[in-house]
Amino acid sequence: MSVTIRDAVSADIDTMVPLLVGDARLREASDPELWRVATDAADRVARTLADALTSGTPHIRHKWLVAEQDGAVVGLAHSILLPVPPIYAGEFGPPGLIMEDCVVADDAPDGTSDALLVAAEEDLATAGAQILLVSSVPDGRWEDDVLDAHSYTPLTRYYARSGLRQGLEGEQVRPARGADVGDLVRLSAEHRRVLNEIDAFWKPHAEADPRFGAWMEKSLTLEDRDMFVSAPGEGVTGYAISQPATPLHFPPAHEIGAIGVIDDFYHGSLSDPKASKPASTEAAMLFQAAEAARTARGNDALLVVCPADWTSKIALLKAEGYRNAITWFKKSMP
């Protein structure tokens, strides 16, 4: 029996909450430290849904769709229009991101996941998205069959580690300071070149350098993050920035207060994304300093952003004990 897909409404919240909390508990079972479910998970989810379904002018466009069979909600999909970071060109406008808190009930009819995905795609295309992304945890509902059938390919992988290490930066690694901003801009330009080489999705903005420089100046004043550079001699050869996790990667049922993120990490020895040789010891020390900084802040787990085709960076992460925890898949609309 087929399902009907429609927009979620406030009256659906009581049915949606247990589905979303149950889905969160499945993630928690796979990694209790990374995907810890909040003690007030049901209340958090209910508040998030109420805000999304009743807010007239949200900062980010959220869309919730439900799959209904015989008047009962048997699945749901959640999507957003993802703002383009200011250092990227964003020539195709904000991409549509279908979040990992999409869920299908155990007793949902066959084909429910596919129907929800198609409906979410159509909605995002109508909203103007020319590029679609889907976020999925390993062995997620859509990852193995539905995404392949709809021509999605991996774009970004988020590597995670629980049980973070302690330590101090070595002689070649130190905290970043104001005098390093010029070097940070130079290294970021190298980083952006590699990203664009991997996928044109990351084409830099024409004003990327001054925008990044201004953000580095601001970041050095922010107390929630740690910024390190590798400086074995007079020059700076790499940088790493660690900061708190945000709700973009974690559905509201999860407790993210003890999770850190490294979203910006680059070292010159990683400049060849396909290199088979391991990254330098200096690059590993830089990464370890960023991890240890989150340990010092009381974090229990760390998420690291890495393009799916940057094999030399992936090799470093795996050598440091990280494993893939989330994948963002991509396809372009016709």
Side-chain angles (χ1 to χ4, degrees):
M1 184 179 296
S2 62
V3 296
T4 300
I5 310 297
R6 61 170 175 81
D7 291 357
V9 295
S10 297
D12 296 316
I13 291 177
D14 288 345
T15 304
M16 296 169 71
V17 168
L19 283 173
L20 290 165
V21 173
D23 189 50
R25 295 202 182 281
L26 291 176
R27 285 188 289 271
E28 183 184 47
S30 68
D31 189 332
E33 290 187 307
L34 180 66
W35 295 109
R36 184 177 304 155
V37 173
T39 55
D40 60 343
D43 290 339
R44 293 188 184 198
V45 172
R47 288 195 299 269
T48 299
L49 290 172
D51 182 64
L53 297 177
T54 61
S55 177
T57 56
H59 177 63
I60 295 177
R61 180 192 189 267
H62 286 259
K63 185 73 170 191
W64 287 91
L65 300 172
V66 296
E68 192 173 53
Q69 180 189 35
D70 295 333
V73 173
V74 294
L76 51 90
H78 176 206
S79 69
I80 67 172
L81 283 179
L82 187 66
V84 178
I87 62 171
Y88 297 112
E91 292 179 343
F92 299 99
L97 173 60
I98 301 172
M99 307 289 279
E100 66 261 21
D101 55 348
C102 300
V103 59
V104 174
D106 291 337
D107 59 351
D110 292 342
T112 300
S113 295
D114 189 81
L116 279 167
L117 178 60
V118 170
E121 289 180 336
E122 292 174 349
D123 171 73
L124 288 167
T126 300
Q130 299 181 51
I131 293 176
L132 299 183
L133 308 173
V134 175
S135 179
S136 174
V137 297
D139 300 320
R141 290 278 185 177
W142 293 347
E143 185 161 317
D144 293 333
D145 50 6
V146 177
L147 294 181
D148 280 345
H150 288 264
S151 303
Y152 283 87
T153 57
L155 175 71
T156 305
R157 299 196 189 277
Y158 295 78
Y159 282 80
R161 174 178 172 139
S162 302
L164 303 182
R165 295 164 293 186
Q166 298 183 6
L168 298 174
E169 60 268 24
E171 294 181 359
Q172 297 176 329
V173 179
R174 60 169 172 78
R177 50 193 183 226
D180 298 319
V181 169
D183 284 319
L184 292 172
V185 171
R186 171 181 56 81
L187 289 165
S188 174
E190 291 183 20
H191 189 194
R192 283 178 260 123
R193 176 191 59 79
V194 178
L195 289 171
N196 191 38
E197 176 184 335
I198 293 172
D199 195 303
F201 178 82
W202 288 295
K203 181 180 178 180
H205 193 280
E207 298 296 321
D209 281 358
R211 290 182 178 192
F212 185 80
W215 178 239
M216 290 300 95
E217 295 278 6
K218 175 69 173 178
S219 294
L220 285 167
T221 70
L222 300 177
E223 298 182 356
D224 66 346
R225 63 203 60 209
D226 298 279
M227 302 169 61
F228 295 94
V229 296
S230 53
E234 294 184 0
V236 175
T237 57
Y239 67 97
I241 303 172
S242 68
Q243 57 201 62
T246 71
L248 178 61
H249 303 111
F250 292 87
H254 296 288
E255 180 56 69
I256 65 173
I259 300 173
V261 172
I262 297 178
D263 190 15
D264 211 346
F265 166 58
Y266 177 73
H267 187 273
S269 65
L270 299 168
S271 62
D272 180 357
K274 298 296 185 183
S276 57
K277 64 180 181 180
S280 68
T281 301
E282 185 182 299
M285 292 172 59
L286 175 64
F287 183 83
Q288 291 163 10
E291 179 183 319
R294 299 319 303 179
T295 306
R297 289 177 178 269
N299 286 181
D300 299 322
L302 187 61
L303 202 63
V304 184
V305 184
C306 182
D309 288 333
W310 198 328
T311 53
S312 56
K313 185 178 279 193
I314 289 172
L316 172 62
L317 293 175
K318 288 182 175 179
E320 294 298 315
Y322 285 74
R323 82 256 175 237
N324 185 43
I326 304 171
T327 301
W328 280 15
F329 294 84
K330 171 202 165 194
K331 82 170 183 181
S332 299
M333 296 300 291

